[in-house]
Amino acid sequence: MTMFMDVHHGMAGITAEQLKAAHEADLAVQDREGVEFRQAWADPESGTVYCLSSAPSKEAVQRVHERTGHPADEVHPVPLQI
Protein backbone atom coordinates (compact mmCIF):
# COMPACT_ATOMS: atom_id res chain seq x y z
CA MET A 1 0.00 0.00 0.00
CA THR A 2 1.15 3.49 -0.81
CA MET A 3 1.09 6.39 1.63
CA PHE A 4 -0.82 9.49 0.54
CA MET A 5 -0.98 13.05 1.82
CA ASP A 6 -4.12 14.86 0.81
CA VAL A 7 -4.81 18.55 1.14
CA HIS A 8 -8.06 20.42 1.68
CA HIS A 9 -8.29 24.19 1.18
CA GLY A 10 -11.00 26.63 2.19
CA MET A 11 -11.52 25.40 5.75
CA ALA A 12 -10.61 28.66 7.53
CA GLY A 13 -11.65 28.69 11.15
CA ILE A 14 -11.83 24.89 11.48
CA THR A 15 -11.84 23.83 15.13
CA ALA A 16 -10.28 20.80 16.76
CA GLU A 17 -13.77 19.35 17.22
CA GLN A 18 -14.61 19.80 13.53
CA LEU A 19 -11.31 18.24 12.46
CA LYS A 20 -11.93 15.29 14.77
CA ALA A 21 -15.47 14.85 13.42
CA ALA A 22 -14.27 14.90 9.81
CA HIS A 23 -11.49 12.41 10.58
CA GLU A 24 -13.93 10.11 12.39
CA ALA A 25 -16.30 10.27 9.42
CA ASP A 26 -13.45 9.11 7.17
CA LEU A 27 -12.58 6.31 9.59
CA ALA A 28 -16.19 5.12 9.57
CA VAL A 29 -16.18 4.43 5.80
CA GLN A 30 -12.49 3.87 4.98
CA ASP A 31 -12.79 0.07 4.89
CA ARG A 32 -15.09 0.26 1.86
CA GLU A 33 -12.13 1.46 -0.20
CA GLY A 34 -9.30 -0.34 1.59
CA VAL A 35 -7.95 2.96 2.96
CA GLU A 36 -6.42 3.53 6.39
CA PHE A 37 -6.47 7.15 7.51
CA ARG A 38 -3.66 7.64 10.01
CA GLN A 39 -3.63 11.28 11.04
CA ALA A 40 -5.00 14.70 10.21
CA TRP A 41 -3.64 18.21 10.76
CA ALA A 42 -5.20 21.62 10.29
CA ASP A 43 -4.18 25.26 10.13
CA PRO A 44 -7.35 27.18 11.02
CA GLU A 45 -5.82 30.49 9.96
CA SER A 46 -5.04 29.44 6.38
CA GLY A 47 -7.92 26.97 6.20
CA THR A 48 -5.64 24.14 5.09
CA VAL A 49 -6.18 20.57 6.28
CA TYR A 50 -3.79 17.67 5.65
CA CYS A 51 -4.61 13.97 5.95
CA LEU A 52 -2.16 11.07 5.91
CA SER A 53 -3.36 7.66 4.79
CA SER A 54 -2.28 4.39 3.27
CA ALA A 55 -4.41 3.27 0.35
CA PRO A 56 -4.44 1.25 -2.85
CA SER A 57 -4.79 4.45 -4.93
CA LYS A 58 -5.33 8.20 -4.73
CA GLU A 59 -8.77 7.63 -6.23
CA ALA A 60 -9.68 5.44 -3.24
CA VAL A 61 -8.63 8.23 -0.88
CA GLN A 62 -10.72 10.73 -2.82
CA ARG A 63 -13.78 8.44 -2.85
CA VAL A 64 -13.72 8.21 0.96
CA HIS A 65 -13.50 11.98 1.30
CA GLU A 66 -16.29 12.47 -1.24
CA ARG A 67 -18.54 10.06 0.68
CA THR A 68 -17.98 12.00 3.88
CA GLY A 69 -18.64 15.38 2.29
CA HIS A 70 -15.17 16.89 2.20
CA PRO A 71 -13.42 16.02 -1.07
CA ALA A 72 -9.69 16.72 -1.17
CA ASP A 73 -8.33 19.45 -3.42
CA GLU A 74 -5.07 17.53 -3.85
CA VAL A 75 -3.97 13.93 -3.24
CA HIS A 76 -0.23 13.21 -3.38
CA PRO A 77 1.49 9.84 -3.19
CA VAL A 78 4.33 9.75 -0.65
CA PRO A 79 6.51 6.86 -1.90
CA LEU A 80 9.52 7.58 0.35
CA GLN A 81 9.65 8.02 4.09
CA ILE A 82 12.32 7.85 6.74
Side-chain angles (χ1 to χ4, degrees):
M1 292 260 262
T2 302
M3 297 292 292
F4 292 91
M5 179 68 70
D6 62 73
V7 184
H8 306 258
H9 299 287
M11 300 182 85
I14 189 170
T15 66
E17 294 80 19
Q18 291 169 321
L19 179 63
K20 182 179 179 186
H23 183 65
E24 288 175 350
D26 292 334
L27 295 177
V29 300
Q30 69 182 2
D31 291 343
R32 297 179 193 175
E33 296 290 341
V35 176
E36 181 184 349
F37 282 94
R38 297 173 180 246
Q39 195 162 357
W41 300 266
D43 176 2
E45 189 172 315
S46 71
T48 307
V49 173
Y50 305 90
C51 302
L52 181 67
S53 63
S54 59
S57 68
K58 68 181 189 176
E59 292 82 12
V61 172
Q62 187 65 283
R63 284 192 295 270
V64 171
H65 282 316
E66 288 171 354
R67 279 194 184 102
T68 57
H70 47 270
D73 296 299
E74 306 168 37
V75 181
H76 304 278
V78 185
L80 297 176
Q81 48 184 323
I82 55 169

